Amino acid sequence: MRAMAIVGYGAPLQPVDLAEPPFGPGDVRIAVEYCGVCGTDVKIAEGVMPFSPTLALPHVPGHEIVGVVAEAGPDVPLAPGTRVVLYDYGTCGSCRSCVGGRETTCSRLRRRIGFTDPGGFQESVTVPWTLAVPLPDTVAPVAAAALSCAIGTAYRATVTLGQVRAGSTVAVVGAGGVGLHAAQIARAAGAATVVVEPSPQRRSAAVAAGARAVAGVEDLRALDDEIDVVVETSGHPAVVPGAVAAVAPGGRVVLVGYTPGAPMTLDAQDAVLKEVTVVAAATPRARTCGPRSRSSRAAR
Amino acid sequence: MTPVVSETFPLADAGRALAAVRDGTVLGRVAVAVSAAGGAP
């Protein structure tokens, strides 16, 4: 089957022809329709992820997969033709993280689609059915390409970890794939939202989504609002001190973006005296993505 | 809310999609359209 693969770090993706992988009784083969492109795919292609030194090349990236069940094993309750979104974490279901409901930090991860295992930049992907979440007909497949990561991560950062509620004021730093969706989710939760983004085009998109927008994190302090939550999606190392400075006493700063090899620093005095909570969000949990993949169930 | 998938690229142009994300020249998410149903040639 056709695929686009990483054949060397930092080099352009190359077309490759891959054999179909082995197929088990609990597996589904998904004919990929769309695969969203995440900033992490760029990092994987550049070879700067923690697993990069041991990743076998060629590697097919892409973890934001939507497609149709083309083949289902005998143990699978999904019919061929079912449109699904894939949850990329194949967790053990038994480690401390999984049992505690934090499977995104599973210590015995069995697979991670597009990260350490073949992803969606190919015609089909074979995975355990427990990673496939049926998609309602009301959701356009191309829109669903943003669902499992960009939107799911934005939800986890904003609602689950940011604890944004009606009446909150939220600053979202960065109006990229996660940030634009985080701003919309915060607004849907009833929060007032301001987006921090240097790009005029992206600021316009944020305003069109119902947020106010400023160019820099330092501009937040000029606002009259008390910022309850800052959701940092840019990964720019210089942002965190400004985020801590901007958030109200007792507020929360949620880190989503990161740049490999570029540590962020914060003013501990500012954070301590204001009792700011700093948390980090990697990716959505299974229960955020759908009912079939529960944290208590091992997903091979 | 409205998912923002602003542009799709055919599978053969997946590398160009990656470059667009890396360079920040796209809005929101972009997607690689893989199958015929997904619009790829």
Side-chain angles (χ1 to χ4, degrees):
Chain A
M1 62 180 161
R2 293 183 307 141
M4 292 296 288
I6 301 163
V7 298
Y9 291 134
L13 299 186
Q14 294 295 320
V16 295
D17 188 13
L18 300 176
E20 292 283 353
F23 190 87
D27 288 340
V28 286
R29 185 168 62 82
I30 306 300
V32 179
E33 293 181 291
Y34 293 97
C35 186
V37 184
C38 176
T40 305
D41 293 319
V42 175
K43 297 181 179 85
I44 293 170
E46 291 175 344
V48 294
M49 296 297 286
F51 54 80
S52 295
T54 57
L55 184 66
L57 302 182
H59 170 72
V60 179
H63 55 276
E64 301 184 339
I65 299 170
V66 57
V68 174
V69 175
E71 184 179 1
D75 298 344
V76 175
L78 295 171
T82 304
R83 178 167 283 120
V84 297
V85 168
L86 296 189
Y87 181 62
D88 58 275
Y89 267 75
T91 57
C92 76
S94 59
C95 72
R96 182 176 177 182
S97 289
C98 287
V99 171
R102 297 183 63 91
E103 76 274 9
T104 52
T105 56
C106 173
S107 62
R108 293 191 292 268
L109 204 59
R110 294 175 176 175
R111 70 184 70 217
R112 191 149 186 217
I113 301 169
F115 287 70
T116 53
D117 294 84
F121 291 3
Q122 59 182 334
E123 291 178 302
S124 70
V125 177
T126 296
V127 296
W129 75 271
T130 50
L131 299 181
V133 182
L135 188 67
D137 292 338
T138 51
V139 180
V142 67
L147 195 56
S148 66
C149 178
I151 295 175
T153 300
Y155 182 89
R156 178 161 174 76
T158 306
V159 176
T160 309
L161 294 174
Q163 300 180 3
V164 169
R165 300 290 183 268
S168 300
T169 298
V170 181
V172 177
V173 182
V178 174
L180 268 182
H181 294 111
Q184 292 188 70
I185 289 167
R187 186 164 181 261
T193 307
V194 56
V195 167
V196 181
E197 169 60 56
S199 159
Q201 181 194 21
R202 291 183 172 188
R203 282 203 303 276
S204 295
V207 170
R212 290 171 293 162
V214 298
V217 71
E218 65 280 359
D219 298 326
L220 291 173
R221 281 177 280 183
L223 301 177
D224 290 335
D225 306 65
E226 293 248 310
I227 306 293
D228 299 301
V229 182
V230 177
V231 178
E232 201 303 295
T233 73
S234 74
H236 196 290
V239 166
V240 171
V244 172
V247 77
R252 303 175 76 82
V253 175
V254 185
L255 304 179
V256 180
Y258 64 94
T259 301
M264 294 178 169
T265 59
L266 61 80
D267 183 334
Q269 181 183 47
D270 198 12
V272 168
L273 295 182
K274 289 167 65 177
E275 292 196 330
V276 172
T277 300
V278 179
V279 295
T283 195
R285 290 163 58 188
R287 68 180 60 180
T288 305
C289 294
R292 289 191 185 277
S293 299
R294 295 191 170 87
S295 60
S296 58
R297 171 188 289 154
R300 294 182 299 138
Chain B
M1 66 173 290
T2 304
V4 182
V5 181
S6 61
E7 193 172 350
T8 61
F9 296 76
L11 179 59
D13 284 344
R16 198 160 59 85
L18 271 183
V21 171
R22 179 195 64 209
D23 298 340
T25 58
V26 291
L27 197 59
R29 267 299 192 257
V30 300
V32 173
V34 178
S35 73

